[in-house]
């Protein structure tokens, strides 16, 4: 029997790999009867919790009608329904929807839309501006526009060159952006950023005003502004999409994870009209050359429609507001725990650094694995990024569950600090 090779897992450390048999709301149930509280929504995916009945019913129902079909030159009802309903959530300027199946592919599609626009207009551009510390996925395009480091060291020579701007507070973000946008010798093709929170780069947070500033500069120079809302989308930052807080509309937005409530894989890259128009002609050579076999999988689209109905009919924003208020309360208490530094929050995302003696602070040298084990021993799924402990619960999480998470973090501060 072939052995399973797990992602982002060092099998050589011999860490236990728990076996999950059920998902119920905010919890995962193991085969030996443990109830694990999922404090990070299983990699930020399960927004409403596991096995939401409405999403499960939609999947069941759709699976009896149409499972999968080619989407090149063909269409189906769940995709059309989803595109229509997404129109109620996205600003009208984002007039075109391209489906794919993961956050990484949503990013690849966004980059190719921007590069294709310049190519088809007869003025090819190749330089992408990125923000320091970013993460946009593990495909080669995604790695190229992401921070160079532990995640991609082995592949670095093959990644394409990008133009980084400093993370806000670590340099003059807008000044650096303006200089790159004004470069006539090598004009940029696009700017891509994660709005408000840089996730895998260490849950680094910055103000909405910076997003508004970047959008204004990009508009002034006619350069597409791409937002990767793969993590921040679907309520994570306290609004449905992070760009709402900056009161701007990006030229392209990448969505995945919570688009199906986290039940099945699906992604959407939504763009404004010029990207579609640049690929629209009577010449086949101008078309958008991107697809994957599972583009707009009908079952995934049906699950996404069920997710939107939950957003419409259930008090999702109230749940998000409640979690945000609870996090804020914990931040006050935790500030007195000496070992926890830089307590920060954006909506339902709470993050902090454990200042522990010895060891470095980065992803590889920090206390991540030991902390993870510490939390697992308390039936809690948290997966610190090095010494950065963060919480990103499903919105169905109870007060008692949140208290359990906060207590475990306080205990970790005691044990490791
Ligand atoms: N962009 C961001 C901001 C992400 O957080 C992630 C995944 N964590 C991705 C892209 C890649 O998404 P996926 O893992 O679904 O390919």
């Amino acid at each position: 029997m072939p052995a399973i090779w797990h992602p982002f897992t060092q099998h050589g450390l011999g860490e236990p790999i728990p076996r999950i048999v059920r998902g119920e709301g905010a919890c995962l149930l193991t085969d030996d009867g443990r109830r694990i509280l999922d404090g990070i929504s299983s990699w930020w995916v399960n927004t409403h919790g596991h096995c939401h009945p409405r999403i499960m019913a939609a999947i069941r129902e759709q699976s009896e009608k149409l499972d999968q079909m080619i989407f090149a030159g063909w269409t189906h009802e769940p995709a059309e329904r989803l595109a229509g309903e997404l129109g109620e959530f996205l600003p009208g300027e984002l007039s075109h929807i391209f489906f794919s199946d993961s956050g990484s592919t949503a990013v690849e599609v966004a980059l190719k839309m921007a590069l294709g626009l310049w190519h088809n207009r007869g003025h090819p551009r190749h330089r992408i501006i990125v923000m320091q510390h970013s993460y946009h996925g593990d495909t080669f395009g995604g790695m190229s526009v992401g921070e160079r480091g532990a995640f991609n060291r082995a592949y670095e020579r093959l990644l394409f060159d990008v133009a980084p701007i400093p993370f806000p507070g670590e340099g003059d973000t807008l000044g650096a952006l303006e200089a790159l946008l004004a470069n006539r010798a090598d004009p940029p093709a696009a700017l891509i950023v994660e709005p408000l929170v840089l996730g895998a780069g260490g849950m680094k947070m910055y103000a909405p005003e910076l997003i508004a500033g970047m959008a204004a500069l990009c508009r002034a120079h006619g350069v597409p502004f791409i937002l990767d809302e793969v993590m921040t989308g679907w309520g994570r930052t306290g609004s449905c999409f992070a760009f709402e807080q900056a009161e701007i509309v990006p030229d392209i937005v990448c969505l995945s994870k919570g688009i199906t409530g986290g039940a099945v894989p699906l992604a959407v890259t939504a763009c404004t009209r010029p990207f579609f128009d640049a690929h629209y002609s009577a010449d086949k050579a101008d078309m958008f050359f991107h697809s994957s076999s599972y583009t707009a999988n009908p079952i995934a689209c049906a699950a996404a429609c069920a997710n939107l109905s939950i957003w419409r009919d259930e008090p999702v924003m109230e749940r998000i507001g409640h979690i945000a208020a609870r996090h804020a309360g914990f931040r006050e208490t935790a500030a007195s725990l000496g070992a926890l530094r830089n307590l920060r929050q954006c909506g339902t995302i709470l993050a902090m650094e454990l200042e522990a003696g010895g060891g470095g602070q980065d992803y590889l040298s920090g206390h991540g694995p030991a902390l993870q084990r510490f939390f697992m021993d308390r039936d809690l799924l948290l997966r610190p990024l090095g010494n950065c402990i963060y919480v990103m619960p499903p919105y169905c999480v109870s007060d008692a569950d949140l208290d359990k998470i906060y207590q475990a973090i306080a205990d970790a501060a005691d044990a490791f600090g």
Side-chain angles (χ1 to χ4, degrees), residues 287-360:
M287 76 169 124
F288 187 48
F289 286 100
H290 193 93
S291 76
S292 54
S293 311
Y294 289 104
T295 303
N297 172 264
I299 295 172
C301 289
C305 289
N307 167 53
L308 298 187
S309 78
I310 292 166
W311 272 87
R312 273 193 302 266
D313 302 341
E314 294 188 17
V316 179
M317 281 315 292
E318 280 97 286
R319 289 173 190 153
I320 288 168
H322 183 72
I323 294 169
R326 293 296 321 273
H327 281 354
F330 174 71
R331 272 196 303 152
E332 271 177 35
T333 334
S336 62
L337 303 170
L340 300 178
R341 297 266 188 274
N342 193 14
L343 280 133
R344 56 199 183 276
Q345 181 192 348
C346 186
T348 66
I349 308 172
L350 171 71
M352 67 212 78
E353 265 76 38
L354 178 74
E355 192 147 298

Side-chain angles (χ1 to χ4, degrees), residues 44 194 197-200 203 228-234 236 254 257 349 392:
W44 328 335
E194 298 166 81
V197 188
L198 273 54
M203 297 296 154
D228 176 352
E229 293 236 25
V230 168
M231 181 191 77
T232 54
W234 306 107
R236 283 297 169 200
C254 307
K257 295 196 189 272
I349 308 172
M392 210 184 303

Side-chain angles (χ1 to χ4, degrees), residues 345-379:
Q345 181 192 348
C346 186
T348 66
I349 308 172
L350 171 71
M352 67 212 78
E353 265 76 38
L354 178 74
E355 192 147 298
Q361 290 287 327
D362 66 17
Y363 183 82
L364 291 179
S365 59
H367 287 270
L371 279 168
Q372 201 173 312
R373 215 165 34 247
F374 180 90
F375 293 125
M376 203 192 281
D377 289 344
R378 283 154 185 78
D379 290 347

Side-chain angles (χ1 to χ4, degrees), residues 121-139:
R121 281 181 176 173
H123 307 288
R125 296 185 177 195
H126 307 288
R127 179 77 71 203
I128 309 286
I129 307 177
V130 305
M131 187 180 273
Q132 189 192 2
H133 304 308
S134 296
Y135 176 86
H136 294 289
D138 286 337
T139 50

Side-chain angles (χ1 to χ4, degrees), residues 63-125:
S63 70
E64 286 170 7
K65 289 193 265 186
L66 176 65
D67 51 355
Q68 157 68 20
M69 61 168 271
I70 184 170
F71 205 62
W74 294 77
T75 191
H76 53 71
E77 187 270 339
E80 293 187 341
R81 183 155 42 101
L82 177 56
E85 292 182 12
L86 277 171
E88 297 165 30
F89 288 80
L90 292 170
E93 292 93 324
L94 295 169
S95 55
H96 287 72
I97 299 287
F98 194 94
F99 290 107
S100 62
D101 40 31
S102 71
S104 306
T105 54
V107 168
E108 299 287 340
V109 165
L111 297 174
K112 285 174 73 172
M113 280 177 174
L115 295 166
L117 172 121
W118 294 112
H119 178 271
N120 285 4
R121 281 181 176 173
H123 307 288
R125 296 185 177 195

